[in-house]
Amino acid sequence: MANTILIGMQWGDEGKGKIIDVLTARADLVVRSQGGNNAGHTVIHRGVKYILHLIPSGILRRGKVCVIGNGVVVDPLALVAEIESLRKLGIKVDKNLLISDCAHLVLPYHRILDEQRELRRGRIGTTKRGIGPAYGDKAGRTGLRMSDLIQPIVFSKKLQAKVIENNRILQALGAKPISFREVNETYLAAAKKLRPFVANTVVYLHRAMERGKQILFEGAQGTFLDIDHGTYPYVTSSNTTAGGACTGTGVPPHRMDRVVGVMKAYSTRVGEGALPTEDDQLAQRLHNLGREFGATTGRKRRCGWFDAVATRYSRMINGIDEIAITNLDGLDRVDPIRVCVAYRLNEKRLDVPPCDASQLANCEPVYEEVRGWNASTHASRKFSQLPSAARKYLRYISELTGAKLSMVSVGPARGETITL
Ligand code: IMP
């Protein structure tokens, strides 16, 4: 396998965890380049369900090295908890995990600020994990990093200044101030546990590439949650698109060989912001099947029809070479199925999504209807075993998106995958 970037092509929750797990079989290293524990990548292996938030899913496979790159924001307590829960399940977390010394920290005041902002008008519907405020500090050049955390004196000094500053803000917002002493103690205890994993991951990745190792870059969230290209302001605070894999790891663009995009056979979104093809009946149907509940927050996902305007744009931004389509089985009993081929805004037909959030919210989907297959696709392991209407649907949405179809997922388990 060449160096591969894996990207969510919609609004996150495309089922990346499962596809990453399948692709990991052919990679030597699996790297996260952005986001934090707002992500929730679900992998089902031998009947056990693992939800990974910070650690790349490659940790579940023997012999793979996992790297948390410089572009990730790390909540040290969440990371320690994740390491410990994996160990309890018998998963080795040792020399197979590295954390960039340049990765920024998510600290308690980030989480509280995130929660406070979410209480106000204009809320984004965040995961309340402190992601936005942590990236805000990074861009504002006042953030603390892993390299600070593992130097107790440096960490305490910087933390104290930040706690004083943030307590003023918290008090102005009517929130309880935090105790420097408590935070300092708790985080220094976490630092002891994390220190063995901290390294210059840029150098590590380059050395690995010199030795011919192959890297899988595990994207978190999705294209339309990208801070630049997403449905701003209803986005996350990092570059979820392909470019983020370079800046978030220090691996240059010419070392990237292929980009695999993951998209659901329909659309979903959690949090606020436009979802042009949203359909409450489809959502009800999927929720009744026990599907489409968030892996990180448990929130019900909003659901809509497949949106080719969005996925076409996503293919363009990310340079998608191949597509993996997931959750095909979610449409097994839906007939007819609608596909959005364009938007209409003020009597004009649009082929790309507008940048402006209120314009996007006013876009009406132009639909085409296709026949459903009214049969289970769960047991299909070859493309030819799928019902003919399902094959037609997959070909149609891949063509509309403009990239080659390479994988189809018909269930959550590793084996429930069709490779073309
Ligand atoms: P934040 O990343 O917690 O700041 O949330 C910003 C927006 O991104 C919200 O709409 C969240 O629901 C969404 N979001 C963040 N992480 C994920 C994810 O892993 N999957 C889907 N949506 C996400």
Side-chain angles (χ1 to χ4, degrees):
M1 191 187 80
N3 286 346
T4 301
I5 303 177
L6 187 123
I7 290 291
M9 293 181 73
Q10 296 157 318
W11 285 266
D13 307 319
E14 294 90 351
K16 295 181 293 297
K18 145 102 191 259
I19 304 296
I20 293 159
D21 182 52
V22 172
L23 291 178
T24 299
R26 281 173 277 153
D28 302 298
L29 290 95
V30 189
V31 185
R32 271 280 301 269
S33 58
Q34 45 72 226
N37 63 328
N38 49 348
H41 291 166
T42 308
V43 180
I44 296 177
H45 177 49
R46 296 207 175 118
V48 183
K49 185 171 175 176
Y50 301 90
I51 302 180
L52 295 144
H53 298 284
L54 270 164
I55 301 180
S57 342
I59 205 79
L60 303 177
R61 297 217 187 225
R62 272 172 188 275
K64 311 290 171 184
V65 175
C66 293
V67 175
I68 296 178
N70 54 277
V72 176
V73 285
V74 177
D75 179 330
L77 302 192
L79 182 53
V80 168
E82 197 164 319
I83 292 171
E84 285 171 357
S85 74
L86 284 170
R87 283 180 175 157
K88 267 194 205 134
L89 292 167
I91 308 289
K92 177 185 146 199
V93 187
D94 188 357
K95 294 218 176 337
N96 54 343
L97 177 68
L98 281 96
I99 310 164
S100 166
D101 51 359
C102 291
H104 275 251
L105 305 179
V106 181
L107 291 159
Y109 45 85
H110 294 131
R111 272 197 311 274
I112 304 171
L113 283 173
D114 198 357
E115 279 165 18
Q116 287 295 318
R117 287 177 191 159
E118 285 295 295
L119 295 174
R120 275 144 229 275
R121 276 186 63 182
R123 65 193 286 272
I124 305 293
T126 73
T127 58
K128 300 185 190 159
R129 300 290 191 269
I131 306 297
Y135 275 115
D137 272 357
K138 175 179 177 176
R141 294 152 298 177
T142 62
L144 273 73
R145 307 197 286 180
M146 284 306 297
S147 58
D148 297 316
L149 183 69
I150 57 170
Q151 301 179 72
I153 297 171
V154 174
F155 176 74
S156 302
K157 203 170 151 207
K158 289 191 179 178
L159 179 72
Q160 190 163 29
K162 289 296 289 180
V163 168
I164 292 170
E165 175 195 328
N166 279 284
N167 273 347
R168 285 201 202 106
I169 303 172
L170 293 179
Q171 273 165 327
L173 292 170
K176 232 174 88 193
I178 54 173
S179 147
F180 160 70
R181 219 165 49 91
E182 250 173 57
V183 176
N184 192 44
E185 262 174 36
T186 319
Y187 282 73
L188 285 179
K192 273 194 190 151
K193 297 184 180 164
L194 296 179
R195 183 176 292 119
F197 302 105
V198 180
N200 181 331
T201 53
V202 175
V203 172
Y204 182 87
L205 291 172
H206 279 261
R207 291 206 176 126
M209 286 189 292
E210 278 161 24
R211 297 200 313 274
K213 302 285 180 198
Q214 317 245 322
I215 307 175
L216 176 63
F217 297 85
E218 169 176 331
Q221 291 88 42
T223 296
F224 294 98
L225 294 175
D226 183 281
I227 182 82
D228 285 284
H229 301 291
T231 54
Y232 193 89
Y234 303 103
V235 292
T236 190
S237 301
S238 63
N239 282 116
T240 60
T241 44
C246 294
T247 54
T249 61
V251 175
H254 73 283
R255 300 307 304 261
M256 302 298 183
D257 301 301
R258 123 177 128 135
V259 185
V260 176
V262 185
M263 58 190 207
K264 270 186 183 151
Y266 45 90
S267 307
T268 64
R269 167 166 210 168
V270 279
E272 307 300 317
L275 179 66
T277 61
E278 186 160 16
D279 185 294
D280 290 342
Q281 268 184 349
L282 181 64
Q284 187 74 54
R285 216 184 162 117
L286 291 162
H287 294 147
N288 287 347
L289 293 170
R291 308 175 77 106
E292 302 309 343
F293 292 89
T296 299
T297 56
R299 289 181 288 180
K300 268 187 185 173
R301 295 179 186 139
R302 297 156 61 196
C303 304
W305 302 105
F306 184 81
D307 183 343
V309 180
T311 58
R312 223 166 19 224
Y313 197 58
S314 180
R315 191 255 302 146
M316 188 156 86
I317 296 169
N318 294 299
I320 303 289
D321 297 301
E322 294 170 31
I323 320 175
I325 299 179
T326 63
N327 290 267
L328 181 70
D329 52 317
L331 296 181
D332 277 354
R333 308 275 165 200
V334 180
D335 191 14
I337 299 172
R338 299 177 110 186
V339 176
C340 167
V341 292
Y343 296 158
R344 204 181 312 281
L345 180 67
N346 303 328
E347 306 300 314
K348 270 206 197 129
R349 188 181 160 109
L350 301 183
D351 291 316
V352 290
C355 167
D356 182 77
S358 59
Q359 280 185 14
L360 183 65
N362 287 325
C363 280
E364 282 193 26
V366 177
Y367 286 118
E368 279 182 12
E369 264 184 20
V370 298
R371 266 186 45 219
W373 43 95
N374 294 303
S376 171
T377 53
H378 261 307
S380 306
R381 293 294 172 268
K382 286 187 185 153
F383 194 69
S384 58
Q385 290 170 345
L386 287 168
S388 113
R391 292 201 303 265
K392 220 167 147 188
Y393 179 70
L394 291 167
R395 283 200 202 99
Y396 183 50
I397 62 174
S398 309
E399 262 169 41
L400 287 173
T401 302
K404 192 176 87 181
L405 176 63
S406 69
M407 242 187 275
V408 180
S409 166
V410 291
R414 212 177 250 177
E416 290 168 331
T417 313
I418 298 170
T419 306
L420 278 83

